[in-house]
PDB file of all heavy atoms in Angstrom:
ATOM      1  N   ILE A  36      54.682  82.702  99.059  1.00  0.00           N
ATOM      2  CA  ILE A  36      53.552  81.998  98.627  1.00  0.00           C
ATOM      3  C   ILE A  36      52.504  82.388  99.599  1.00  0.00           C
ATOM      4  O   ILE A  36      52.594  82.050 100.839  1.00  0.00           O
ATOM      5  CB  ILE A  36      53.835  80.483  98.570  1.00  0.00           C
ATOM      6  CG1 ILE A  36      54.992  80.191  97.578  1.00  0.00           C
ATOM      7  CG2 ILE A  36      52.371  79.860  98.123  1.00  0.00           C
ATOM      8  CD1 ILE A  36      55.193  78.661  97.451  1.00  0.00           C
ATOM      9  N   CYS A  37      51.410  83.092  99.150  1.00  0.00           N
ATOM     10  CA  CYS A  37      50.297  83.400 100.021  1.00  0.00           C
ATOM     11  C   CYS A  37      49.279  82.257 100.163  1.00  0.00           C
ATOM     12  O   CYS A  37      49.148  81.528  99.176  1.00  0.00           O
ATOM     13  CB  CYS A  37      49.725  84.702  99.556  1.00  0.00           C
ATOM     14  SG  CYS A  37      48.299  85.262 100.512  1.00  0.00           S
ATOM     15  N   GLY A  38      48.591  82.227 101.233  1.00  0.00           N
ATOM     16  CA  GLY A  38      47.392  81.215 101.254  1.00  0.00           C
ATOM     17  C   GLY A  38      46.411  81.372 100.115  1.00  0.00           C
ATOM     18  O   GLY A  38      45.919  80.509  99.599  1.00  0.00           O
ATOM     19  N   SER A  39      46.292  82.702  99.699  1.00  0.00           N
ATOM     20  CA  SER A  39      45.304  83.012  98.631  1.00  0.00           C
ATOM     21  C   SER A  39      45.795  82.336  97.268  1.00  0.00           C
ATOM     22  O   SER A  39      44.924  81.983  96.452  1.00  0.00           O
ATOM     23  CB  SER A  39      44.946  84.525  98.493  1.00  0.00           C
ATOM     24  OG  SER A  39      46.128  85.189  98.128  1.00  0.00           O
ATOM     25  N   ASP A  40      47.107  82.385  97.203  1.00  0.00           N
ATOM     26  CA  ASP A  40      47.644  81.637  95.900  1.00  0.00           C
ATOM     27  C   ASP A  40      47.424  80.247  95.920  1.00  0.00           C
ATOM     28  O   ASP A  40      46.993  79.576  94.985  1.00  0.00           O
ATOM     29  CB  ASP A  40      49.231  81.886  95.860  1.00  0.00           C
ATOM     30  CG  ASP A  40      49.527  83.350  95.576  1.00  0.00           C
ATOM     31  OD1 ASP A  40      48.836  84.151  94.938  1.00  0.00           O
ATOM     32  OD2 ASP A  40      50.687  83.787  96.229  1.00  0.00           O
ATOM     33  N   ARG A  51      42.315  83.346  90.190  1.00  0.00           N
ATOM     34  CA  ARG A  51      43.521  83.030  89.534  1.00  0.00           C
ATOM     35  C   ARG A  51      43.198  82.372  88.298  1.00  0.00           C
ATOM     36  O   ARG A  51      43.681  81.195  88.051  1.00  0.00           O
ATOM     37  CB  ARG A  51      44.395  82.209  90.504  1.00  0.00           C
ATOM     38  CG  ARG A  51      44.635  82.608  91.945  1.00  0.00           C
ATOM     39  CD  ARG A  51      45.689  83.843  91.825  1.00  0.00           C
ATOM     40  NE  ARG A  51      46.152  84.149  93.155  1.00  0.00           N
ATOM     41  CZ  ARG A  51      45.477  84.885  93.983  1.00  0.00           C
ATOM     42  NH1 ARG A  51      44.264  85.313  93.839  1.00  0.00           N
ATOM     43  NH2 ARG A  51      46.038  85.206  95.173  1.00  0.00           N
ATOM     44  N   HIS A  59      52.302  88.033  95.098  1.00  0.00           N
ATOM     45  CA  HIS A  59      52.029  89.574  95.426  1.00  0.00           C
ATOM     46  C   HIS A  59      52.821  89.996  96.634  1.00  0.00           C
ATOM     47  O   HIS A  59      52.599  90.959  97.147  1.00  0.00           O
ATOM     48  CB  HIS A  59      50.510  89.833  95.536  1.00  0.00           C
ATOM     49  CG  HIS A  59      49.898  88.915  96.510  1.00  0.00           C
ATOM     50  ND1 HIS A  59      49.252  87.766  96.135  1.00  0.00           N
ATOM     51  CD2 HIS A  59      49.744  89.030  97.883  1.00  0.00           C
ATOM     52  CE1 HIS A  59      48.845  87.234  97.317  1.00  0.00           C
ATOM     53  NE2 HIS A  59      49.109  87.863  98.292  1.00  0.00           N
ATOM     54  N   GLU A  60      53.594  88.985  97.232  1.00  0.00           N
ATOM     55  CA  GLU A  60      54.365  89.338  98.563  1.00  0.00           C
ATOM     56  C   GLU A  60      55.832  89.367  98.224  1.00  0.00           C
ATOM     57  O   GLU A  60      56.485  88.388  98.456  1.00  0.00           O
ATOM     58  CB  GLU A  60      54.019  88.315  99.528  1.00  0.00           C
ATOM     59  CG  GLU A  60      52.498  88.047  99.670  1.00  0.00           C
ATOM     60  CD  GLU A  60      52.116  87.053 100.777  1.00  0.00           C
ATOM     61  OE1 GLU A  60      53.210  86.195 101.121  1.00  0.00           O
ATOM     62  OE2 GLU A  60      51.077  86.950 101.253  1.00  0.00           O
ATOM     63  N   SER A  85      50.598  94.994  97.468  1.00  0.00           N
ATOM     64  CA  SER A  85      49.980  94.081  96.545  1.00  0.00           C
ATOM     65  C   SER A  85      48.897  94.689  95.847  1.00  0.00           C
ATOM     66  O   SER A  85      48.372  94.274  94.747  1.00  0.00           O
ATOM     67  CB  SER A  85      49.466  92.808  97.362  1.00  0.00           C
ATOM     68  OG  SER A  85      48.546  93.178  98.290  1.00  0.00           O
ATOM     69  N   GLU A 149      53.771  92.485 103.326  1.00  0.00           N
ATOM     70  CA  GLU A 149      52.320  92.662 102.951  1.00  0.00           C
ATOM     71  C   GLU A 149      51.500  91.899 103.944  1.00  0.00           C
ATOM     72  O   GLU A 149      50.418  92.342 104.327  1.00  0.00           O
ATOM     73  CB  GLU A 149      52.277  91.983 101.500  1.00  0.00           C
ATOM     74  CG  GLU A 149      50.934  92.326 100.838  1.00  0.00           C
ATOM     75  CD  GLU A 149      49.875  91.138 100.862  1.00  0.00           C
ATOM     76  OE1 GLU A 149      50.263  90.047 101.264  1.00  0.00           O
ATOM     77  OE2 GLU A 149      48.723  91.446 100.422  1.00  0.00           O
ATOM     78  N   ALA A 150      51.869  90.777 104.403  1.00  0.00           N
ATOM     79  CA  ALA A 150      51.063  89.998 105.336  1.00  0.00           C
ATOM     80  C   ALA A 150      51.032  90.826 106.706  1.00  0.00           C
ATOM     81  O   ALA A 150      49.953  90.933 107.320  1.00  0.00           O
ATOM     82  CB  ALA A 150      51.685  88.600 105.617  1.00  0.00           C
ATOM     83  N   VAL A 153      48.547  93.590 106.581  1.00  0.00           N
ATOM     84  CA  VAL A 153      47.116  93.117 106.674  1.00  0.00           C
ATOM     85  C   VAL A 153      46.833  93.033 108.208  1.00  0.00           C
ATOM     86  O   VAL A 153      45.651  93.454 108.604  1.00  0.00           O
ATOM     87  CB  VAL A 153      46.938  91.758 105.966  1.00  0.00           C
ATOM     88  CG1 VAL A 153      45.482  91.199 106.263  1.00  0.00           C
ATOM     89  CG2 VAL A 153      47.090  91.974 104.497  1.00  0.00           C
ATOM     90  N   LYS A 338      55.288  80.216 106.223  1.00  0.00           N
ATOM     91  CA  LYS A 338      55.612  80.993 104.966  1.00  0.00           C
ATOM     92  C   LYS A 338      56.680  80.325 104.202  1.00  0.00           C
ATOM     93  O   LYS A 338      57.803  80.130 104.667  1.00  0.00           O
ATOM     94  CB  LYS A 338      55.947  82.372 105.316  1.00  0.00           C
ATOM     95  CG  LYS A 338      56.101  83.333 104.164  1.00  0.00           C
ATOM     96  CD  LYS A 338      54.992  83.402 103.210  1.00  0.00           C
ATOM     97  CE  LYS A 338      53.819  84.210 103.804  1.00  0.00           C
ATOM     98  NZ  LYS A 338      52.551  84.128 102.996  1.00  0.00           N
TER      99      LYS A 338
HETATM  100 ZN1   ZN B   1      48.676  87.572 100.259  1.00  0.00          ZN
END
Side-chain angles (χ1 to χ4, degrees):
I36 302 179
C37 179
S39 65
D40 294 327
R51 302 289 191 283
H59 57 265
E60 305 179 346
S85 60
E149 197 255 354
V153 171
K338 185 59 71 184

